[in-house]
Amino acid sequence: MRRVYLDSNATTPLLPEVLAAMQPYFIDTFGNASSMHHSGQHARAAVDHARESVARLLGCTANELVFTSGGTESDNLALFGVIDALPSTGEKHHIITTAIEHNAVLQSAQALSARPDVELTTLRPNAQSLIEPSALEAALRPNTRLVSVMLANNETGVINPVGKLARIAHAAGALFHTDAVQAAGKLPINLAGEFTNVDLLSISGHKMHAPQGTGALFVRKGIRVAPVLHGGTHERQRRAGTENVPGIVGLGAAADIARTWLASEGPQQVAAHRDRLEQTLLNKIPNTGINGAGAPRTINTTNIYFNNVDAEALLIALDLKGIALSAGSACQSGATEPSHVLTALGLEWPRARASVRISLSKLTTDEDIDYAAETIAATVEHLRSIS
Ligand code: PLP
């Protein structure tokens, strides 16, 4: 059976070049990067090299990166790390985040807000699913310590005006974190340019063709984060634990590939595939629309609703025909509740339940798009006819 993978916001496969870069570090050069001897030095050099690669992708310096086990850990380290590093003055610490964040940020913020000295404000998006600068301005308080707003949403692909939001947070004396897990490798990120006011930024390897269980947190020079994991002095005392050398090498290789790809025609090709799929589905299927349409979106993502179709039934039927996509985010699959992101957009329950996320990658082909468009249209029509 033909298999078409359209769930790249959940995870992406390793690129062969990434696997090839990692391979020596499992057996031949297996050292602990903290060891003094030759093997250790070799591993350390590989980690340093990968750090430079990730720094080039993000426009920061290598010392500003902390390697982690992925997006979830990076987000936890950003939020808990900033709050735990604050001196206790007896004053309450105010945090601002948004209702459309990934649970890694939302749940961290909520866990922090259970502390007696932390207050939390959760901003809602506008109808286009964007976090508006005016909403942030209105929520800032003299004791706001940290603002966390994601760069690209994992479900709709909508891109928030993070450069502007970070400037506003700074003007009020607050630090700014962004979860860029769904943006890294898909759109240019320049921490020395547009994002110069961003203090902390999370990325995850497996969303950009590096291995699962790898990631990094950018921490701007001079910003203090208390470690979440306690132990050795790894990662300049910000993240204890023996480095995952092959994984980090994979992340570095994927970062190099992404940087070259971003400067090529590649992103336009992915956008053209996404737009063609969207247009074909909108033309072929009545009572269909895009959630987040009209807002700037990542090139690979569409969140589309087919009225009077149950998204879960559609996913199952499509899976039987070899097409993989998702309803809500991967961590919520199996849940019967509609996603918190779609609910935050103000979507009524029937429309949220009828929405699916289709996410492409640079590996998606023209033939994949043809097969997906035809099969999705036929399956929606069939499900409607029997409902
Ligand atoms: N943040 C966003 C926006 C995500 O989409 C994800 C994963 O889906 C994460 C964080 C968590 O990343 P990881 O799977 O690497 O823990």
Side-chain angles (χ1 to χ4, degrees):
M1 182 174 36
R2 188 186 173 94
R3 295 232 166 248
V4 175
Y5 182 78
L6 295 175
D7 200 13
S8 300
N9 286 7
T11 198
T12 56
L14 282 198
L15 294 173
E17 303 91 307
V18 172
L19 179 62
M22 292 170 66
Q23 232 144 14
Y25 296 92
F26 287 106
I27 295 180
D28 298 340
T29 313
F30 60 87
N32 182 324
S34 300
S35 300
M36 297 280 283
H37 48 61
H38 176 83
S39 282
Q41 285 173 25
H42 219 89
R44 169 61 52 206
V47 169
D48 288 348
H49 182 77
R51 207 184 295 277
E52 294 288 346
S53 297
V54 178
R56 273 195 296 274
L57 178 69
L58 302 178
C60 63
T61 64
N63 282 346
E64 292 172 309
L65 290 171
V66 181
F67 285 124
T68 65
S69 64
T72 300
E73 188 188 327
S74 297
D75 288 341
N76 273 261
L77 180 56
L79 272 74
F80 284 94
V82 164
I83 298 302
D84 285 341
L86 291 171
S88 63
T89 55
E91 209 194 349
K92 288 204 175 203
H93 304 311
H94 180 226
I95 304 173
I96 299 177
T97 189
T98 85
I100 54 168
E101 297 300 310
H102 187 272
N103 272 327
V105 167
L106 268 185
Q107 297 296 327
S108 296
Q110 270 156 26
L112 281 164
S113 75
R115 297 181 180 180
D117 63 341
V118 176
E119 306 171 324
L120 175 66
T121 299
T122 308
L123 303 178
R124 303 194 73 76
N126 68 11
Q128 274 190 316
S129 130
L130 281 168
I131 301 301
E132 297 205 32
S134 58
L136 175 59
E137 264 160 357
L140 284 159
R141 301 179 192 165
N143 66 334
T144 306
R145 308 279 177 241
L146 178 65
V147 176
S148 179
V149 181
M150 72 197 321
L151 180 47
N153 184 267
N154 41 307
E155 295 191 35
T156 59
V158 166
I159 301 169
N160 281 308
V162 155
K164 204 167 183 181
L165 294 168
R167 265 200 308 283
I168 293 169
H170 267 193
L175 295 177
F176 190 91
H177 165 250
T178 190
D179 175 336
V181 163
Q182 294 291 349
K186 292 175 197 158
L187 54 99
I189 293 176
N190 187 357
L191 286 159
E194 192 194 349
F195 296 146
T196 188
N197 284 294
V198 170
D199 300 294
L200 304 114
L201 179 144
S202 306
I203 65 166
S204 167
H206 72 109
K207 313 292 186 179
M208 46 179 279
H209 303 282
Q212 296 174 350
T214 63
L217 178 68
F218 157 78
V219 182
R220 195 172 288 282
K221 187 168 186 267
I223 307 292
R224 289 191 54 222
V225 285
V228 168
L229 299 180
H230 298 271
T233 57
H234 311 82
E235 296 298 297
R236 299 161 73 88
Q237 308 203 353
R238 291 172 294 189
R239 201 273 186 181
T242 300
E243 289 90 344
N244 168 8
V245 178
I248 289 170
V249 168
L251 181 59
D256 282 339
I257 293 167
R259 198 164 53 89
T260 310
W261 182 79
L262 283 169
S264 75
E265 306 271 283
Q268 281 141 272
Q269 281 160 13
V270 174
H273 276 148
R274 190 272 312 271
D275 293 348
R276 184 160 77 81
L277 179 58
E278 243 176 27
Q279 267 319 310
T280 314
L281 293 175
L282 291 174
N283 292 343
K284 275 188 182 229
I285 311 174
N287 290 319
T288 297
I290 308 295
N291 298 314
R297 286 182 298 154
T298 42
I299 49 173
N300 76 319
T301 307
T302 182
N303 196 299
I304 186 162
Y305 61 88
F306 307 105
N307 283 340
N308 306 320
V309 171
D310 178 59
E312 255 178 51
L314 179 60
L315 292 200
I316 294 166
L318 288 173
D319 190 39
L320 293 172
K321 294 174 184 171
I323 297 181
L325 36 88
S326 80
S329 58
C331 1
Q332 286 168 334
S333 55
T336 45
E337 292 291 306
S339 97
H340 69 268
V341 173
L342 298 183
T343 313
L345 301 188
L347 258 58
E348 298 294 330
W349 162 268
R351 188 162 136 193
R353 287 278 319 255
S355 298
V356 297
R357 175 183 75 183
I358 305 179
S359 47
L360 286 57
S361 78
K362 60 176 146 191
L363 304 176
T364 309
T365 63
D366 270 331
E367 293 72 31
D368 290 341
I369 298 298
D370 292 340
Y371 180 68
E374 205 173 294
T375 313
I376 294 171
T379 312
V380 167
E381 197 181 315
H382 173 70
L383 289 176
R384 278 182 179 164
S385 74
I386 58 170
S387 74

